[in-house]
Amino acid sequence: MDNTIIQKKPSTLSLIWDLLTIIMVILNLSLLLFDLSYLRLRPHYYHFFPKALQLYDPILGIEEHRMTHDYLKYVKELRRIENFKDKSLLEAEMNSLEASFEKDLFQTLEEKAKEEIQIIQTQLEAIRKLSNQTEQLNARYEIYKQALKKF
């Protein structure tokens, strides 16, 4: 009996399967690292890969804030207006754009304040239902303290 070990040459199908498995593992690890770093590195991704954000933000449920969107639109318009040759037209256009942005800003802040006031009123109504007067006073104090921090 001969004690030599006979090694079979791996088949082409086996090599292709191994290669595909390695590619899948690398792809999976890459996606995992991207997902784990996404929120922290999102500003960098926004700068270098804006198309990736457009695809991945909806998957994570990230929506652009209306105020940020309006501000970016305002800055884009300012950059466009900057290129005007006629300075009188430039000033008129900038004043118009500034007034529009200021109006939108105040409207947004007013809506936010109304929402906050509504939340506080709801909390105060819930406190009125408490039977213990000391608990009511303590709860009101906490609500007023939180409201002052917000405003």
Side-chain angles (χ1 to χ4, degrees):
M1 258 207 198
D2 193 8
N3 288 339
T4 60
I5 299 175
I6 301 174
Q7 292 185 351
K8 289 186 178 179
K9 183 178 177 183
S11 69
T12 308
L13 186 61
S14 175
L15 288 174
I16 291 174
W17 178 255
D18 290 345
L19 185 63
L20 285 176
T21 305
I22 291 170
I23 290 171
M24 290 296 289
V25 167
I26 291 171
L27 182 64
N28 192 15
L29 284 174
S30 301
L31 288 173
L32 178 69
L33 290 174
F34 174 75
D35 188 49
L36 289 174
S37 68
Y38 186 75
L39 292 178
R40 180 164 291 177
L41 298 177
R42 190 171 181 274
H44 300 290
Y45 292 145
Y46 181 80
H47 181 68
F48 295 109
F49 311 108
K51 295 289 183 195
L53 264 67
Q54 291 175 354
L55 293 173
Y56 203 64
D57 276 356
I59 292 172
L60 291 180
I62 297 174
E63 296 177 358
E64 194 172 58
H65 192 272
R66 190 181 96 196
M67 187 96 165
T68 305
H69 176 73
D70 291 345
Y71 178 73
L72 290 175
K73 189 170 74 173
Y74 173 71
V75 170
K76 190 176 187 179
E77 282 295 310
L78 280 177
R79 287 188 180 146
R80 183 186 64 80
I81 291 171
E82 240 176 18
N83 296 327
F84 283 0
K85 301 278 187 219
D86 187 5
K87 295 300 176 190
S88 63
L89 185 59
L90 171 73
E91 190 172 327
E93 189 71 23
M94 283 184 72
N95 289 338
S96 169
L97 185 61
E98 185 177 344
S100 171
F101 181 71
E102 189 175 297
K103 178 184 157 214
D104 290 345
L105 177 65
F106 284 129
Q107 181 181 0
T108 302
L109 291 174
E110 188 176 285
E111 289 172 6
K112 183 69 173 168
K114 285 180 183 176
E115 290 173 10
E116 292 294 332
I117 290 170
Q118 183 64 36
I119 290 170
I120 291 170
Q121 287 175 341
T122 305
Q123 290 173 340
L124 289 173
E125 288 174 10
I127 289 172
R128 286 187 194 112
K129 294 177 183 176
L130 294 174
S131 59
N132 188 342
Q133 203 166 23
T134 307
E135 288 178 1
Q136 284 183 0
L137 288 173
N138 288 336
R140 281 189 183 140
Y141 171 74
E142 287 300 318
I143 288 175
Y144 293 142
K145 191 168 83 173
Q146 289 174 3
L148 288 174
K149 285 180 183 178
K150 290 179 183 178
F151 294 107

